[in-house]
Every structure is written in C-alpha cells, then in structure tokens.
Amino acid sequence: MNLLQNRRFIMTGLAPAVILYALFVFVPVIWSAYYGFFDWSGIGEASYIGLQNYAEIWRDPIFWRALKNNIIFVLASVFGQIPIALVLAVLLHKSSLLHRFLRSAVFLPMVLSTVVIGMIWQYIYHPQIGILNFLLNTLGLDSWRLQWLSDPVIAIYSLVPPLIWSFVGLYLIIFVSALQNIPSEIHDAAKIDGVSGLRKLVSITLPMIKNTVQVAIILCISGSLKSFDLVFIMTKGGPAHATELLATYMYNSTFTTYRYGFGSAISTTIVIISLLLIGTSQWLASRKKDAV
Amino acid sequence: MQTATTAAKPGPSGAGAGSIVRRAGQSIFWLILTIYGILTLYPFFWLVISAFKTNEDFYSRPFGLPEIWRWDNFSHAWASSRLGSAFVNSIIVSLGSLVLTLFIAALASFILARFQFKWKGWMFAFFVVGMLIPIHSTLVPLFILMKQMSLLNTYWALILPYTAFALPTAIFVLTAYLTSIPRDIEEASFIDGTGLWGLFFRIMLPMSLPALATVTILSFLHAWNDFSFALVFINKTELKTLPLAIANFADGYQTDYGLTLAAMTLSVIPTVLLYLLFQEQMMKGMTAGAVKG
C-alpha cells in the first residue's frame, strides 16, 4: 500500500461530503450569526446595528409567546407521546399478526407528509363542517363545540393532539424493540419467582428499558422543536400570533416584511435555544445515570 | 429457552380472585387498544371515503359512506391541480438527493470507518454535530445563500440542501455499519490486487446494503415529504413538489371539499403503498435513523 496514494484517496473521498455539508449546513448557521448584527432588507446595503435586533427580539411579546408555545409543545410531547407510546408498547410488543397490524397503523402517520396530516386535522377541527364538532353535536354535548383553531385561547392546545398522533408511532417502535431485546432469561427468572402482571412491569420490565426511555425523551425534546410544518399548515401562527412558534415567528418576520437581518437574529436565537435545551436534557440524563 | 418458558407452571396468583382481576385488567387493555386503534386509523378512513363524496354529501353525512361514489373527483383533482407535474418534480428531487446522499455518504463513511488519519475523530464529530442543528433555523440564511448563488427556483435548490441535511444521519449509520466489517476483507482484496476504488465499489458497497437501505428510507421520505424548504426556495408553479402543490390546491379550492380530499388521497398513495410493502423495514429504518446510537 502506497501511503501517498492512500492520503489522496482520503482527501478525494471526504471532499464532496465536507464541501456540501459545510456549505449548506454550517455556513448558513455562521452567516445568520453574522447577519443578525445588521439591518438588511435582502437587497442593497446592510447597515451594522450591533445588538439592536436581539434587543428588539427580547422586547417583542410575540417572541415570548412563541417561546412559550414551543415549551408547551416540548412538554406535550414528553408527557403525551412517551407515556402513550410506553403503554401501547407494553400492550403491543408481541409479534402476532394483530400486534404487528396495530403497530403499523400507529406508525403510519410517520411516513406521511406533515402537509397531509395538518390538512386532515384542519378538517377534523373545522367549526362548521368538522367531524369533531359534528360528533359532539351527535353526543348532545353542544356546549363543548368550540372554534378549535380560531379561538386564540385554545388554538395552541388544539395543535397538541395532531402533534402527539403523528409521532407516537416512532416511540412505540423504539420501545417495542427495547422490550423485545430483554433477554428471555429475565422473563424465566421472573416466572420462577412468581412475579407477573403489573408488579413485573414496574419492577422488572420498565427498569430494563430505562435507558431507551431516556434516549426517547431527548429525541422528543429535539423533535418537538421542529414542528414548523404542522403549525404553518394549520394556523400559520395565528390567530393573532396565538400559535406562533419560534420557527413561524422567524418565517413571518423575515418573508412577510423582508427583514433578513432581524430574521437572521431570530434564527441564531433558535440555534442557541435548541442547543441549550438539548444540552440540558443530555446533562440531566447523564447526571441521573451517575447517581444511580 | 422456549421450552423452559412453556413448561414453567403458572404462578400462585393464577387462581381465584387473581384471575378475575387479571381478566378485568385484560379487558381494560383491549378497550384502550381498540379506542386508540380507531383514533389512529379513523382520520385516514375519513380522508379516503370523503374523497368520493359530493359537497352535499360531505355536509349532511360526515360519518357515513358516500351516497354515490364519485370516482370523477379523482380525475378532476388530477386535471385541475397540476398534480402530474408535482409528482414528476417530487420524484426528480427525491431521487436526485437520494442518489447523491448514498454516494457521498457511503464514500465518506468508508474512509471514516476503514482508514486511520490524524483528524479522523474531529471529522466524525463535525458531521455528527449537524444532527443537533434545527433545520428550520437555517431557512433564512439558506434563502440568502441560494439567492446569491442564483439557485432559487431550480431543482438544485432542493436537491443540495436535502442531501446536506441527510448527510449527518447517513454518515452516522453507515460508519457504524462499516466499522463492524472485519479487517480481513481489505487484506484479502489487496492480495487480489483490487484498488481502493474497487474495494469501495465492488466490496464495501454491496456489503453495506442493509445500512444503505436504512439511509434510503430516511433520505427519500425526508425529501418526498419536506414542506418548509420547498415553500421557501420554490416559487415557480412548474417546479412545485407534491406537498407544496397540495397545500396550494387546498387554498385555491377551499370550498370544493371532495376535490381537495381526492387530491390529498392521490398524493399519499405512493408512500402508503411503499409502506404497505416494506413496513417492517421502514419502521426499523426510521427508528434507527432517529435513535442514532
């Protein structure tokens, strides 16, 4: 083996990946950090304004509402998706035909475009023709009929069920494969000791997949920061910014008013917030592991 | 092991009050499962049956089957929505980024997994850290970048970023897989006089087929279903991909529900069909891509 030839191969082989990845993933992040200090409309001169964009974000009540909505999404995902997926995984972890069918059904939304998911739920929630209000009518619960997506108070909570519904399948499959990986000796030992049912679940099965649950929680946190599409399709951040997320806030303030400098500052803020969130959750997970 | 499990006697809790409790518990489980199953599947069922309805039918019997099955909703939706060109665009963009991702990621992973060099660890970290960057935060700067490179409103405006964002996961999955292949393979092939490129194309690529399948599923679905990049980088009607075309169609034909739902149904047929064929692989692939170790 020729060492020089080896080196040249390493360079050529890595070059396309490094160039493409740096140009379209890294450079944008660095650029937005840079443009965040400018007042710029996309054409013409950009003028340096220091931290003014960030000061404006800090004072903007819409930013705080967006951040709050993002946190609602994170909490709803962690406390909605994970428990539902765990319960379903415990009930559906066998490889019988019925279990496989139900797992596939729960997973199905994962392979569909969020556009379609958002539009289906828009129809479910529609105040006049929506099947949810129609169902409530039929059940004689007329007073429960609401303007699900156009009432600013409840709109953000109406977005939670579609969010949970579309991702439960992912965590279900993750948990099912963890459950199936529990060695059968453990089940045998439990049986010999006469441990079964709920007690076995709580004191044997769940502790065995604790690490997987932790990984799922971290995934859940970073995943729920990505829910731009669903909100954009269903409410566009409205009514009156009630369902604005950080990403829609960035989109709306950049592309409706052509403030690229301001939008770049928001996008840098999003990167910082998500790194902080993911960092904290990883740190919490590792600290807990050390304590045990 | 299996025989041991079946041979073991039922525990002491198997009799009397215990069995009643267990039976009650089981029926509650089945109730939960049935309700959740219906909740999960009903929206799809509703989408498909409503796609066959007239508007009157849609208003008056939202839960019922269509009075008359309007098959021509589909042909009308196809004709008036430019779904045809949207399908073509989605196929070009998804396959383009898929081929590029597979080649570039496999080559980089081959090098990261099978060669020793000084900044290898840093290189790997550099790629993997990309999984932490929220895609949506790059919309504005990417838009500016694309504008300056005059890539907006071209297929490249989608193919290149889809590939770039697929690389971290793809490299992670492929490197892990290639590292597990025993060293003897290289030695044998060098003795045979195979060059490095031959080793890559003729030995490593065929050997990593399972990992390549995972990457294919992840990268294809991401490109096929993406909405936000297409929304920001594509304005031209002729270049719009499926999700974008569907969203626009719904805006334009808001009150013709049967037609909109028919267009939506048509748009999900390819992925649902693929899913029905390869469900086990797709579920495994997507969870592998999500967990990333």
Side-chain angles (χ1 to χ4, degrees):
Chain A
M1 275 307 295
N2 184 333
L3 214 69
L4 198 70
Q5 186 197 344
N6 232 341
R7 257 184 80 132
R8 196 185 299 152
F9 184 77
I10 290 174
M11 303 284 240
T12 1
L14 283 175
V18 171
I19 292 170
L20 200 66
Y21 173 73
L23 187 61
F24 289 97
V25 179
F26 257 77
V27 169
V29 173
I30 293 159
W31 266 28
S32 68
Y34 173 76
Y35 278 119
F37 298 115
F38 289 83
D39 180 24
W40 188 40
S41 65
I43 29 170
E45 281 295 295
S47 57
Y48 179 78
I49 53 166
L51 285 171
Q52 273 184 46
N53 282 330
Y54 291 95
E56 192 183 334
I57 294 173
W58 184 264
R59 284 193 309 266
D60 191 348
I62 301 173
F63 165 74
W64 292 104
R65 174 133 7 123
L67 185 61
K68 192 185 126 198
N69 286 341
N70 261 108
I71 292 171
I72 291 177
F73 267 33
V74 170
L75 294 178
S77 306
V78 173
F79 294 104
Q81 287 165 5
I82 303 277
I84 293 178
L86 257 180
V87 171
L88 289 176
V90 170
L91 299 182
L92 289 177
H93 69 277
K94 303 240 171 64
S95 42
S96 69
L97 200 65
L98 181 71
H99 282 199
R100 287 215 311 268
F101 169 75
L102 284 172
R103 288 204 300 258
S104 301
V106 175
F107 195 82
L108 181 58
M110 284 296 298
V111 303
L112 297 185
S113 167
T114 324
V115 172
V116 173
I117 290 170
M119 282 168 61
I120 293 178
W121 282 85
Q122 242 180 341
Y123 280 111
I124 293 177
Y125 283 134
H126 197 289
Q128 282 92 41
I129 59 157
I131 46 176
L132 180 58
N133 275 352
F134 199 90
L135 182 72
L136 291 172
N137 229 1
T138 327
L139 295 175
L141 298 166
D142 281 38
S143 55
W144 290 19
R145 294 176 51 130
L146 292 169
Q147 306 277 327
W148 300 104
L149 293 174
S150 43
D151 181 339
V153 182
I154 56 166
I156 186 70
Y157 301 102
S158 302
L159 292 171
V160 167
L163 180 75
I164 293 179
W165 177 77
S166 47
F167 286 103
V168 160
L170 179 69
Y171 301 106
L172 168 67
I173 300 303
I174 291 175
F175 292 149
V176 164
S177 57
L179 287 177
Q180 288 174 343
N181 279 341
I182 295 179
S184 51
E185 287 90 340
I186 298 217
H187 294 298
D188 297 344
K191 210 156 216 174
I192 290 163
D193 290 344
V195 182
S196 66
L198 204 61
R199 180 136 173 253
K200 181 179 162 196
L201 182 71
V202 173
S203 48
I204 299 176
T205 315
L206 289 184
M208 287 293 294
I209 63 165
K210 207 180 80 195
N211 286 341
T212 311
V213 176
Q214 268 172 4
V215 171
I217 290 174
I218 293 170
L219 274 179
C220 216
I221 291 171
S222 57
S224 56
L225 291 167
K226 296 176 185 161
S227 358
F228 171 85
D229 301 14
L230 190 72
V231 172
F232 191 85
I233 289 291
M234 291 183 72
T235 63
K236 294 215 162 49
H241 300 291
T243 57
E244 208 82 77
L245 296 179
L246 291 172
T248 58
Y249 173 56
M250 176 192 71
Y251 179 89
N252 288 332
S253 13
T254 313
F255 296 108
T256 53
T257 53
Y258 299 101
R259 298 182 62 198
Y260 292 126
F262 187 60
S264 301
I266 301 175
S267 91
T268 308
T269 313
I270 297 177
V271 174
I272 294 169
I273 290 174
S274 8
L275 291 183
L276 277 178
L277 254 175
I278 295 166
T280 318
S281 57
Q282 299 258 25
W283 177 73
L284 281 177
S286 66
R287 213 182 52 145
K288 246 170 99 188
K289 218 175 283 168
D290 292 341
V292 168
Chain B
M1 211 54 60
Q2 215 48 40
T3 46
T5 318
T6 41
K9 280 183 190 147
S13 63
S19 80
I20 295 170
V21 170
R22 192 179 299 165
R23 205 164 299 161
Q26 256 171 4
S27 36
I28 290 171
F29 285 163
W30 280 110
L31 197 68
I32 297 175
L33 272 188
T34 318
I35 291 173
Y36 197 87
I38 292 170
L39 278 179
T40 298
L41 285 174
Y42 190 74
F44 298 112
F45 176 70
W46 174 85
L47 169 70
V48 175
I49 60 159
S50 305
F52 285 99
K53 287 180 176 175
T54 60
N55 257 5
E56 298 81 65
D57 220 7
F58 190 84
Y59 287 123
S60 54
R61 305 164 59 228
F63 293 105
L65 292 175
E67 213 145 15
I68 319 149
W69 294 75
R70 296 265 308 232
W71 285 92
D72 50 347
N73 274 355
F74 291 93
S75 50
H76 283 170
W78 182 267
S80 51
S81 66
R82 293 176 162 274
L83 273 188
S85 76
F87 262 105
V88 173
N89 292 334
S90 278
I91 290 171
I92 292 176
V93 169
S94 311
L95 286 185
S97 66
L98 173 62
V99 171
L100 212 56
T101 305
L102 284 179
F103 178 71
I104 292 179
L107 190 55
S109 308
F110 170 50
I111 288 161
L112 288 170
R114 314 298 291 192
F115 289 81
Q116 296 302 328
F117 50 97
K118 226 196 301 178
W119 17 269
K120 185 170 129 161
W122 286 105
M123 209 67 193
F124 189 66
F126 168 67
F127 282 116
V128 173
V129 84
M131 294 193 288
L132 296 179
I133 294 173
I135 291 188
H136 299 120
S137 71
T138 60
L139 278 177
V140 172
L142 265 181
F143 177 81
I144 300 171
L145 182 78
M146 299 277 189
K147 203 170 163 186
Q148 286 170 346
M149 294 169 70
S150 346
L151 283 177
L152 289 177
N153 284 315
T154 63
Y155 288 131
W156 293 111
L158 296 180
I159 293 176
L160 295 176
Y162 288 161
T163 308
F165 278 94
L167 283 179
T169 320
I171 288 179
F172 191 89
V173 170
L174 284 166
T175 305
Y177 193 87
L178 285 168
T179 311
S180 68
I181 295 175
R183 288 274 153 202
D184 320 359
I185 300 285
E186 268 113 330
E187 281 154 30
S189 76
F190 288 139
I191 291 164
D192 290 349
T194 318
L196 287 170
W197 288 101
L199 177 67
F200 172 63
F201 278 111
R202 271 181 280 142
I203 297 163
M204 289 298 172
L205 272 189
M207 282 191 77
S208 47
L209 272 183
L212 289 173
T214 302
V215 173
T216 302
I217 290 163
L218 286 172
S219 128
F220 183 83
L221 276 182
H222 173 244
W224 184 268
N225 287 335
D226 168 77
F227 174 68
S228 46
F229 282 174
L231 172 75
V232 176
F233 305 145
I234 301 290
N235 280 317
K236 263 200 206 151
T237 323
E238 311 90 77
L239 290 181
K240 285 185 172 162
T241 53
L242 215 42
L244 202 55
I246 291 293
N248 287 342
F249 184 73
D251 279 342
Y253 286 80
Q254 237 161 19
T255 49
D256 205 332
Y257 302 112
L259 217 55
T260 311
L261 291 164
M264 283 163 68
T265 307
L266 287 174
S267 81
V268 301
I269 286 175
T271 29
V272 171
L273 221 61
L274 282 178
Y275 182 60
L276 289 180
L277 289 174
F278 303 109
Q279 35 186 313
E280 292 295 325
Q281 290 94 318
M282 279 169 103
M283 285 192 275
K284 247 182 231 144
M286 290 186 76
T287 44
V291 178
K292 310 157 198 164

